[in-house]
Amino acid sequence: MATVMAGNGAAAWGFRLSRVQCYPYYPITPSTSCSQQISRWVYDGAMGAVTINAESEHSAASQIIAAGKNVRAGTATSSKGLLYMIEVLENAAGGAIPCGLFIGNRATGAPINIWADHSDAYAMRDSGLIQIFAADGQESLDSIIQGYRIAEDLRVRMPFAVNLRGFTGTHAYEGVEIPSQEEVDRYLPPFVPLYSLFAPEKPVTYGAMLSAYPYRRHKRNQMAAIGNAAEIALKAGKDFAEKFGRSYGHFEWIGDRKAELVVALLGESAAAGEVATRHLQGKEGIPGVALLKIRLFSPFPAREIAQALNRAGTKAVIVFDEGLQHGGVLPPLAQRITAAVHLHLGGKGPKIASVIGGLGGSEVRQEHFQLMFNLAANIAEGKPYRPEPYWLDIDEDPIFVEQENQVSPKLWKKWGEIWKKQPRQEKYCAPIPPDTEEIRIYSRAGQGAITSAVGFTGAGIENGYRLVTVPAFGSERRGAIITTDTLINFHKERRIRSFMRAWDVVILYDDTILYSPEHRVLDGLKEGGALLVNTSHMSVKKIRGLLDAGEGRVRIFTAPAAAVSEGLGLKHINMPMLGALHKVYDKVPFDKALGYYERNVPRPREASLEAIRRGHAETTDQEIQRTRKERRLLVSQDFLDWRPEDHSQESWPSALEEVQIG
Amino acid sequence: MKEEQRTLVSPNRHKEFVVTGELVEIRDRAHAGETEKKGQPEDKTGKRLSPPEILTIEEVARQPVDGIDTAKALSAMADIGPEARLFVYRPEGQAVRYEVFEDPRVCPEVHRGAVIENLKEKPRDVSGWRTHDFFIDLKGCLGDECGRCAIVCPENAIHLRGKGKGSFHEIDPLACKGCFICWVECVRTAADCILVDGKTFDPGMRAKHFGE
């Protein structure tokens, strides 16, 4: 039975089920809620561990190393926090101390940016850690459990890091299967320290200074040890599949077995790539396509990847990197794949081009993968291509250029010959028809939109659908307009967690959003889709007039959520809006969902449940006469007469008076 | 008010970890709940949970390991070659877990993870490093009443000989690197106690070291 939780929550379960005994941490966006959840469990006594509130990431890393000598230790971090840890983490790798890190991948400054890319993981690349890239919450939970098994193996004894893309991975709420503690205990043996803690009769020194002769020999051994991790990861993945039914390897090959065109990438963005690959598979005039989703980044399974490409008869590989190697020839993943192909296949290998995208929280969408497959097809046909990275979504420097005047003359002088020979092919770039149903909520931060969307997701998952909710983060300011998106996937066997951005339902938690010049709420709404507005005084007709949309374009519903919540003494309007959503969108049946809500609504439970029911009942697409209750601020004469020179305690005007009219 | 105590879940069968507020106390499982016994400290060396052993093929061949199929382990190790190691975990004398593996860290000088087992380190002759010879005159030394030089010596080159009134300190001439620390730190300011090149007092040297 899947439980709805965010990627960070799943990672916390990974640490809990691995029976982590020491968890020092220093919180940083976007991995904070993982540490928060663990420290809550430790406080409640649900998890037998010691958490330490470290004074910095540097200390947290030092503490996991100190603890990792004798107990199972772990921590979570991101971005600059990880960069601050690197100085210490090299000691864990060199000192053969197995410990675990969960990393919510985030950009590194400057400019400061809290959103996702792989810059931090790439910065850690040469610190000697085993690096695993997970694509969703479930994979990060499973990878942490497997990570301890790999890291503690006697042939390895190395720290490991599980990476998950920030926000789209760490804050995406979806169904996660939590294995039972007994099952995990059978899979993961207890930690065995190699030296006793405090043994006066056999004292040892960790991190001693070594001169060149023993140092170089030790470093060679360290490389051999991390090299062993590849083979052990494969075995750990196979055992995991036997026990839990979810299989993991070095990489996942999604698409055709014989694939001429391949896009290789790491981690979560594969969700969008998967949709594009499945769409292009078997289309007329398109050769075999596949997505190479690499899971084990360090140690890099070079031989296996080269062999897989060789076996599939691949002609062109596009390597998609969400990070840079400043001053390097190619970004890190592209460089590793190029080296692998060159060393293991020599001249027979496929041609490799590099694309950089998804930086600093940039969306990685299906159409980007369509462009990449198009580029791969051109390269496979023998067209010239750039010997340096292409960029995604840069208007001044696109992948395909139709006319010369589209780019600057300087750029045209440099790449014009290549652009002229690289056609944009319609069969690759035609829009993908939507296969899922999607709901978007516009709300103001603090209104509880995420809580209600997560509730809806839980109810949907319990009823056997696959739902994902991804909230937008960033405008961390109460009252700012934010979006929360939910995807409903009716294919039981197929995993889809990438949004088409074609909304079936758009919900406004506040009617003033209709006036926002920045938010055109009908953008992206499907023809004939539904718009649900929380309003106490606007009529359907008025909303239709404001949006200038006909009956065929949009069905409009209104819900008096504020009045319902006020009547029940609730602070938030999210519960009535949850009920209203079920009225507008009935694919997740309300009566079945109520069973889930009865067990899971936030406190006060009775009032919240009643609010959901009333919200459902009172939502309508009809014109109804509401008693007009208008509030206006009246300014008293005292206030207008007041001058700064009169300012004193006694003469302070009682300025604002609230008067009801009507 | 006494703070609430709770015990951590731990696979360790000998020790338990008791958390009181922010403090973690480690105590024997057998003594759980009892207050600590006063009096003679117990010799716990034998009782401590012993770490696992990692044995080479020669060591296993020389001394069969109790509780495991040594012949099978040996043949598995022979297949791997000289890098084969046998991991045996005997927390209470009985093998609860064992495993044959190929050690990626084969270098004999450097232990796994650059860990140095301190008692296995052999003392080195550093007498060539020093430019002056140091000697403690037992007439001036306060013996076990003081012991400051033995504490401050960075090389553990100074040892106490004897007991009580007749005790005195002695410098190991092979281990002394001539750093002057004992001479500076001596509670008797090295007057008729530590001889440098046979001299008890040298105004030039004092000026150099104390800035007098």
Side-chain angles (χ1 to χ4, degrees):
Chain A
M1 184 66 215
T3 315
V4 61
M5 63 176 70
N8 276 336
W13 268 104
F15 285 122
R16 176 173 166 174
L17 292 172
S18 307
R19 290 194 187 277
V20 163
Q21 290 155 289
C22 182
Y23 188 93
Y25 67 96
Y26 189 83
I28 181 167
T29 305
S31 63
T32 309
S33 47
C34 173
S35 306
Q36 216 173 1
Q37 177 70 75
I38 285 174
S39 85
R40 161 63 62 182
W41 280 331
V42 170
Y43 178 81
D44 290 344
M47 189 173 159
V50 175
T51 54
I52 305 169
N53 297 335
E55 68 271 33
S56 68
E57 284 92 354
H58 192 276
S59 311
S62 306
Q63 286 158 356
I64 51 167
I65 290 171
K69 296 191 283 103
N70 292 83
V71 296
R72 196 168 280 159
T75 189
T77 191
S78 291
S79 184
K80 291 283 182 190
L82 180 62
L83 265 62
Y84 195 23
M85 280 187 177
I86 288 175
E87 196 260 316
V88 193
L89 287 176
E90 302 219 347
N91 296 332
I97 293 166
C99 49
L101 274 94
F102 170 69
I103 296 157
N105 291 127
R106 172 187 144 180
T108 53
I112 201 162
N113 180 303
I114 63 158
W115 295 281
D117 68 28
H118 291 158
S119 305
D120 51 358
Y122 284 167
M124 186 177 65
R125 179 173 50 125
D126 298 330
S127 319
L129 277 82
I130 299 163
Q131 268 179 292
I132 299 170
F133 278 81
D136 56 24
Q138 183 73 61
E139 283 192 18
S140 48
L141 188 157
D142 297 346
S143 296
I144 288 173
I145 296 171
Q146 289 176 48
Y148 279 109
R149 170 134 165 197
I150 300 163
E152 287 166 15
D153 194 286
L154 290 155
R155 279 163 289 176
V156 182
R157 284 315 252 209
M158 280 279 158
F160 74 94
V162 171
N163 295 278
L164 181 62
R165 198 168 192 261
F167 298 115
T168 50
T170 59
H171 287 65
Y173 292 84
E174 59 197 314
V176 175
E177 302 268 351
I178 301 169
S180 75
Q181 184 69 66
E182 293 74 43
E183 282 177 307
V184 176
D185 286 348
R186 274 200 294 277
Y187 175 77
L188 184 65
F191 185 85
V192 178
L194 293 189
Y195 298 95
S196 299
L197 182 68
F198 310 132
E201 74 280 2
K202 199 188 175 193
V204 294
T205 302
Y206 278 88
M209 185 164 155
L210 295 183
S211 60
Y213 176 74
Y215 180 86
R216 64 176 183 255
R217 304 183 75 175
H218 176 66
K219 282 293 156 190
R220 186 210 153 269
N221 292 346
Q222 191 187 327
M223 284 288 283
I226 196 170
N228 284 345
E231 184 199 325
I232 287 154
L234 212 56
K235 194 170 173 297
K238 216 172 139 196
D239 273 11
F240 196 88
E242 278 170 22
K243 290 215 165 61
F244 302 93
R246 291 184 290 277
S247 66
Y248 293 92
H250 290 156
F251 53 82
E252 206 178 323
W253 187 274
I254 301 164
D256 298 320
R257 285 167 73 84
K258 287 282 172 204
E260 273 187 26
L261 319 176
V262 169
V263 173
L265 80 170
L266 291 166
E268 199 270 336
S269 303
E274 209 177 322
V275 174
T277 311
R278 299 249 187 255
H279 169 70
L280 292 177
Q281 257 182 296
K283 286 268 180 317
E284 207 190 320
I286 294 180
V289 289
L291 193 71
L292 177 61
K293 187 179 106 186
I294 295 165
R295 179 169 171 259
L296 190 67
F297 181 61
S298 271
F300 194 69
R303 177 185 289 275
E304 287 81 353
I305 285 176
Q307 280 171 350
L309 293 172
N310 194 29
R311 230 179 291 125
T314 305
K315 287 187 180 161
V317 182
I318 307 293
V319 187
F320 177 60
D321 272 271
E322 289 173 53
L324 313 170
Q325 185 181 10
H326 298 276
V329 181
L330 290 171
L333 182 63
Q335 194 169 28
R336 287 189 177 193
I337 291 184
T338 310
V341 166
H342 181 76
L343 290 175
H344 293 286
L345 302 179
K348 291 181 293 174
K351 290 176 180 168
I352 298 168
S354 162
V355 175
I356 295 173
L359 296 183
S362 308
E363 286 174 337
V364 184
R365 296 192 300 268
Q366 294 96 334
E367 50 262 40
H368 295 141
F369 286 90
Q370 290 174 290
L371 285 180
M372 283 190 253
F373 278 119
N374 187 348
L375 181 63
N378 290 347
I379 293 170
E381 285 163 19
K383 306 258 165 56
Y385 62 101
R386 279 191 200 183
E388 60 177 63
Y390 283 91
W391 294 81
L392 271 191
D393 265 352
I394 305 272
D395 301 339
E396 297 83 23
D397 187 10
I399 294 181
F400 299 114
V401 172
E402 242 93 275
Q403 283 136 16
E404 191 178 330
N405 58 6
Q406 206 177 324
V407 292
S408 73
K410 206 174 150 197
L411 214 57
W412 183 259
K413 203 178 153 201
K414 192 175 178 192
W415 299 123
E417 285 309 307
I418 290 175
W419 268 324
K420 264 192 260 173
K421 287 172 188 154
Q422 284 268 8
R424 184 189 150 99
Q425 301 181 32
E426 207 44 45
K427 61 186 173 192
Y428 286 96
C429 300
I432 302 176
D435 201 12
T436 51
E437 303 207 337
E438 291 165 20
I439 298 170
R440 164 161 278 199
I441 300 174
Y442 289 95
S443 68
R444 294 192 179 271
Q447 278 187 309
I450 297 173
T451 311
S452 62
V454 171
F456 181 75
T457 308
I461 286 171
E462 205 185 57
N463 284 305
Y465 304 120
R466 290 180 164 216
L467 276 79
V468 188
T469 289
V470 183
F473 278 86
S475 23
E476 287 152 340
R477 175 167 65 85
R478 253 181 123 74
I481 298 172
I482 56 160
T483 59
T484 308
D485 304 337
T486 302
L487 178 143
I488 304 121
N489 168 14
F490 298 101
H491 301 274
K492 292 213 169 138
E493 70 292 346
R494 258 177 71 190
R495 176 183 60 180
I496 302 179
R497 55 191 307 290
S498 158
F499 285 81
M500 299 279 174
R501 272 151 244 280
W503 316 114
D504 290 88
V505 182
V506 169
I507 307 174
L508 307 185
Y509 271 37
D510 185 4
D511 50 22
T512 57
I513 296 170
L514 284 168
Y515 297 103
S516 165
E518 250 185 73
H519 299 83
R520 300 224 192 94
V521 295
L522 289 189
D523 277 7
L525 185 69
K526 281 181 191 166
E527 203 66 27
L531 177 73
L532 168 65
V533 187
N534 161 33
T535 180
S536 53
H537 61 276
M538 272 192 191
S539 66
V540 170
K541 201 173 146 199
K542 186 171 178 194
I543 295 169
R544 203 175 279 288
L546 271 175
L547 295 171
D548 193 20
E551 298 265 343
R553 173 74 185 91
V554 57
R555 295 176 291 133
I556 296 176
F557 294 82
T558 59
V564 172
S565 282
E566 212 169 294
L568 290 164
L570 290 175
K571 281 182 195 155
H572 293 97
I573 55 132
N574 54 355
M575 288 300 132
M577 288 308 281
L578 181 54
L581 168 58
H582 279 282
K583 178 92 165 220
V584 176
Y585 183 80
D586 51 10
K587 298 269 177 70
V588 178
F590 184 55
D591 45 343
K592 282 189 188 162
L594 261 183
Y596 176 83
Y597 297 142
E598 271 161 21
R599 278 171 279 123
N600 293 293
V601 287
R603 274 185 286 264
R605 283 169 187 264
E606 280 309 309
S608 293
L609 260 181
E610 185 54 30
I612 291 173
R613 286 203 197 92
R614 273 200 220 168
H616 185 258
E618 293 186 24
T619 302
T620 175
D621 55 351
Q622 303 299 312
E623 292 293 333
I624 50 162
Q625 212 57 42
R626 290 216 166 84
T627 48
R628 271 178 77 81
K629 194 172 130 191
E630 210 167 295
R631 286 174 169 192
R632 197 176 289 170
L633 291 176
L634 268 205
V635 178
S636 68
Q637 195 57 41
D638 276 355
F639 184 82
L640 294 172
D641 292 345
W642 180 79
R643 292 286 171 277
E645 54 268 29
D646 304 338
H647 186 121
S648 74
Q649 288 290 339
E650 293 81 53
S651 65
W652 187 260
S654 57
L656 304 170
E657 235 175 281
E658 210 172 86
V659 186
Q660 287 192 356
I661 309 171
Chain B
M1 202 183 88
K2 210 184 165 199
E3 276 194 82
E4 201 187 321
Q5 282 194 341
R6 65 191 172 84
T7 316
L8 295 184
V9 184
S10 160
N12 191 328
R13 272 176 289 161
H14 299 267
K15 302 280 177 190
E16 62 175 11
F17 303 90
V18 182
V19 186
T20 316
E22 291 181 348
L23 285 178
V24 184
E25 191 195 333
I26 305 168
R27 63 185 183 203
D28 289 352
R29 282 229 191 262
H31 300 307
E34 289 175 35
T35 50
E36 227 170 273
K37 280 179 196 158
K38 291 273 177 338
Q40 279 297 94
E42 266 183 273
D43 178 26
K44 291 178 182 169
T45 321
K47 279 190 168 181
R48 187 179 289 109
L49 212 65
S50 54
E53 293 159 80
I54 295 173
L55 307 167
T56 59
I57 191 161
E58 291 87 7
E59 284 167 329
V60 182
R62 209 180 301 135
Q63 173 102 51
V65 185
D66 294 342
I68 70 166
D69 188 348
T70 312
K72 202 176 154 193
L74 272 175
S75 87
M77 292 173 86
D79 288 346
I80 294 172
E83 288 90 38
R85 295 287 183 277
L86 176 65
F87 166 91
V88 194
Y89 186 40
R90 300 185 276 197
E92 297 164 313
Q94 267 196 332
V96 295
R97 191 173 147 191
Y98 73 98
E99 195 180 324
V100 174
F101 69 101
E102 187 179 343
D103 195 347
R105 300 175 170 88
V106 286
C107 169
E109 288 89 350
V110 193
H111 298 283
R112 169 174 295 279
V115 168
I116 290 175
E117 293 180 6
N118 297 5
L119 295 186
K120 285 191 186 165
E121 284 290 287
K122 289 199 186 86
R124 296 170 67 189
D125 181 359
V126 292
S127 58
W129 296 13
R130 60 176 189 255
T131 50
H132 298 280
D133 281 326
F134 288 75
F135 178 72
I136 296 179
D137 191 347
L138 62 93
K139 289 203 299 286
C141 182
L142 297 175
D144 59 8
E145 278 178 43
C146 168
R148 188 168 169 81
C149 52
I151 293 166
V152 298
C153 179
E155 296 296 310
N156 283 341
I158 304 181
H159 308 288
L160 181 70
R161 294 275 174 244
K163 236 182 185 183
K165 260 198 162 175
S167 64
F168 61 94
H169 285 89
E170 184 180 83
I171 299 179
D172 180 351
L174 291 184
C176 172
K177 61 184 182 187
C179 66
F180 278 92
I181 291 177
C182 57
W183 190 78
V184 171
E185 292 289 328
C186 180
V187 290
R188 309 202 45 179
T189 54
D192 68 5
C193 182
I194 300 178
L195 309 174
V196 182
D197 294 337
K199 287 181 221 160
T200 49
F201 190 75
D202 182 341
M205 205 174 281
R206 283 211 72 80
K208 192 178 158 200
H209 282 276
F210 292 109
E212 282 164 3

